[in-house]
Amino acid sequence: MKVSAETSQSELLEKDRRFVWHPYTQMLSAPPPLPIVRGTGALLVDDQGNTYIDAVSSWWVNIHGHSHPYIAKKIAQQATTLEHVIFAGFTHPPAVALAERLIDHLPDPLSKVFYSDNGSTAVEIAIKMAIQYYHNRDQPKKKLIALDQAFHGETFGAMSASGDLSLNNAFKNQLFEVARIPAPLKGKEAESEKVLEQLLQEGDAYAFIFEPLIMGAGGMLMYEPAILDKLIRLCQKHGVLTIADEVMTGFGRTGQLFAIQHLATCPDLICLAKGLTGGVLPLAVTCCTDKIYEAFLSEDKGKTFFHGHSFTANPLGCAAALASLDLLEGAECQENISRVVRRQRAFREKMEGHAAVKDIRQTGTILALEFNSPEKTSYFNQLRDQLYQFFLDRRILLRPLGNVIYFMPPYCISDKEMTEVYQAIEDALVHFNL
């Protein structure tokens, strides 16, 4: 029997078990996945008609709510006009329009858009651009500088740039060496600045990569714009390129359209994905300055940037991104972002000092709460699975990072739905006697 809309839950799960390998899942011990058949607003609906609050925006991508009719309409219109065309030697209106709108929103001197299909590849491209920038100028450099506890993706360059999160142990011997500085968290700012300056003085660094203000998979760690400005200025002083990985923080998550808009300085490259299309289709971009772009212009074809994907600048993805920007720029979405920021700030203030909370932090629309636990804080903290199931039983999708839960909703989430999530968090503190 083939899978169809009428397939029973047991048949679907049996076929899933036989044929599907899920991400970030230990397939031997994980419980069966939850069959989702529909989404609307901030809610997911399973095959039994139960609704779940999507409190993590389905891995941080969904910013306008599920099955948004305006985005769906724009994708459908594009699909009947041009679904795809090779982007080497060709162009098309949605790609040009999207690039222009992104550059209009980004601070100077960011001026060029290179398309790809996901956050990891956007980071990979930025690293390759930085390396080849110096190679093309006959000034080859060897060192990438990154923050410890960082996460930049799953391709090899992105894994190399990521900190030691125990996720990449199988590949350690294949990753290239990266110099690390302490993340500039509260109390560590001076140490971070000192170590960076020491590394820069060695003179062989080509780039410094960072997640601006919020470090996602490392535990939703947060730091202030002022110290990041200092670190970027140090790099500028030593002629080292800077890469802002805004795969997660882009498109309103920090309260501004981009996290770098909280800064007085501007990086040389920025990586964007996830919320770019409203969470509907895979699309990513790496934006750079004219200074970088011009280093690849040469009569020597060997200085070309030889990178591309089959679906580079896919017209359907570009149409979705343009529609998402229409919504994001609108008054209703901006009011929703402000409302979510206010609610998150109020809950953080309420829970600060709670005896059972090790730490609670909030930047923009993102709230993270670190539960007290006898185990060391890490991605593999055993409390993770218990917390995940606790919230799922209450029809809330929260996906803890070890003993850290984070609440990152679509901007359209209602106040009632937010209150349900807050109450469940408080209930969890009581339930686990934390």
Side-chain angles (χ1 to χ4, degrees), residues 15-41:
K15 288 180 181 292
D16 182 278
R17 186 192 65 78
R18 287 174 58 194
F19 302 120
V20 179
W21 191 345
H22 289 269
Y24 281 83
T25 301
Q26 177 43 258
M27 300 299 290
L28 179 66
S29 57
L34 186 65
I36 296 298
V37 297
R38 189 163 56 88
T40 178

Side-chain angles (χ1 to χ4, degrees), residues 8 12 36 44 49 118 139 174 194 204 287 342 368 393 414:
S8 70
L12 181 69
I36 296 298
L44 296 167
N118 65 74
Q139 300 171 328
Q174 280 71 45
K194 178 183 177 182
D204 61 346
C287 303
R342 289 194 301 271
D393 289 343
S414 70

Side-chain angles (χ1 to χ4, degrees), residues 7-10 12-13 34-37 45-50:
T7 302
S8 70
Q9 183 182 90
S10 61
L12 181 69
L13 292 178
L34 186 65
I36 296 298
V37 297
V45 185
D46 71 15
D47 60 346
Q48 306 301 306
N50 300 310

Side-chain angles (χ1 to χ4, degrees), residues 307-322:
H307 192 107
H309 299 272
S310 302
F311 289 94
T312 294
N314 174 257
L316 300 179
C318 292
L322 288 165

Side-chain angles (χ1 to χ4, degrees), residues 14 31 60 137 180 234 261 268 300 348 392:
E14 171 57 20
W60 321 346
R137 290 158 51 98
R180 304 200 182 280
L234 271 176
Q261 290 174 325
D268 299 287
D300 178 359
R348 183 203 74 208
L392 204 60

Side-chain angles (χ1 to χ4, degrees), residues 35-316:
I36 296 298
V37 297
R38 189 163 56 88
T40 178
L43 299 177
L44 296 167
V45 185
D46 71 15
D47 60 346
Q48 306 301 306
N50 300 310
T51 59
Y52 300 79
I53 299 172
D54 187 354
V56 297
S57 298
S58 284
W59 248 345
W60 321 346
V61 303
N62 190 290
I63 60 177
H64 302 298
H66 293 280
S67 306
H68 197 288
Y70 181 73
I71 299 177
K73 176 184 174 183
K74 293 298 183 179
I75 294 171
Q77 289 174 345
Q78 184 61 48
T80 61
T81 306
L82 176 67
E83 85 300 344
H84 188 60
V85 62
I86 183 174
F87 207 59
F90 291 82
T91 191
H92 54 80
V96 175
L98 178 57
E100 181 179 25
R101 284 181 71 176
L102 288 172
I103 294 303
D104 283 347
H105 280 296
L106 288 165
D108 292 333
L110 294 167
S111 59
K112 287 291 188 293
V113 169
F114 193 97
Y115 286 103
S116 59
D117 54 1
N118 65 74
S120 295
T121 52
V123 167
E124 202 86 7
I125 286 163
I127 293 171
K128 288 177 67 175
M129 282 181 176
I131 293 171
Q132 192 173 342
Y133 169 79
Y134 289 103
H135 173 84
N136 284 2
R137 290 158 51 98
D138 296 320
Q139 300 171 328
K141 299 191 178 186
K142 299 179 180 179
K143 186 184 297 175
L144 176 66
I145 302 173
L147 301 177
D148 62 10
Q149 300 171 276
F151 180 82
H152 294 289
E154 287 100 352
T155 51
F156 270 81
M159 282 195 295
S160 297
S162 298
D164 183 11
L165 302 178
S166 301
L167 304 179
N168 302 324
N169 286 342
F171 313 107
K172 278 187 175 180
N173 293 335
Q174 280 71 45
L175 303 180
F176 60 77
E177 186 177 352
V178 172
R180 304 200 182 280
I181 67 171
L185 309 177
K186 187 175 181 180
K188 293 186 176 180
E189 296 94 339
E191 182 185 2
S192 182
E193 188 177 358
K194 178 183 177 182
V195 176
L196 177 62
E197 180 140 39
Q198 290 171 343
L199 290 171
L200 292 172
Q201 287 173 350
E202 294 174 7
D204 61 346
Y206 57 85
F208 166 49
I209 186 169
F210 53 86
E211 298 163 271
L213 310 188
I214 308 170
M215 300 170 66
M220 295 295 165
L221 305 172
M222 301 181 186
Y223 61 97
E224 295 299 317
I227 180 59
L228 183 54
D229 269 323
K230 287 185 177 181
L231 300 180
I232 292 173
R233 287 194 187 101
L234 271 176
C235 291
Q236 291 173 340
K237 174 184 170 184
H238 289 271
V240 172
L241 299 178
T242 51
I243 303 170
D245 175 356
E246 287 227 37
V247 169
M248 180 191 75
T249 55
F251 304 101
R253 288 298 184 191
T254 64
Q256 296 280 2
L257 191 60
F258 302 108
I260 60 171
Q261 290 174 325
H262 293 276
L263 305 177
T265 55
C266 181
D268 299 287
L269 300 109
I270 182 171
C271 308
L272 303 171
K274 292 196 182 291
L276 175 59
T277 66
V280 179
L281 288 171
L283 187 71
V285 299
T286 304
C287 303
C288 71
T289 63
D290 277 339
K291 177 182 77 171
I292 293 173
Y293 174 75
E294 288 167 2
F296 292 79
L297 304 181
S298 174
E299 295 297 327
D300 178 359
K301 290 189 177 181
K303 293 187 175 181
T304 301
F305 188 55
F306 293 109
H307 192 107
H309 299 272
S310 302
F311 289 94
T312 294
N314 174 257
L316 300 179

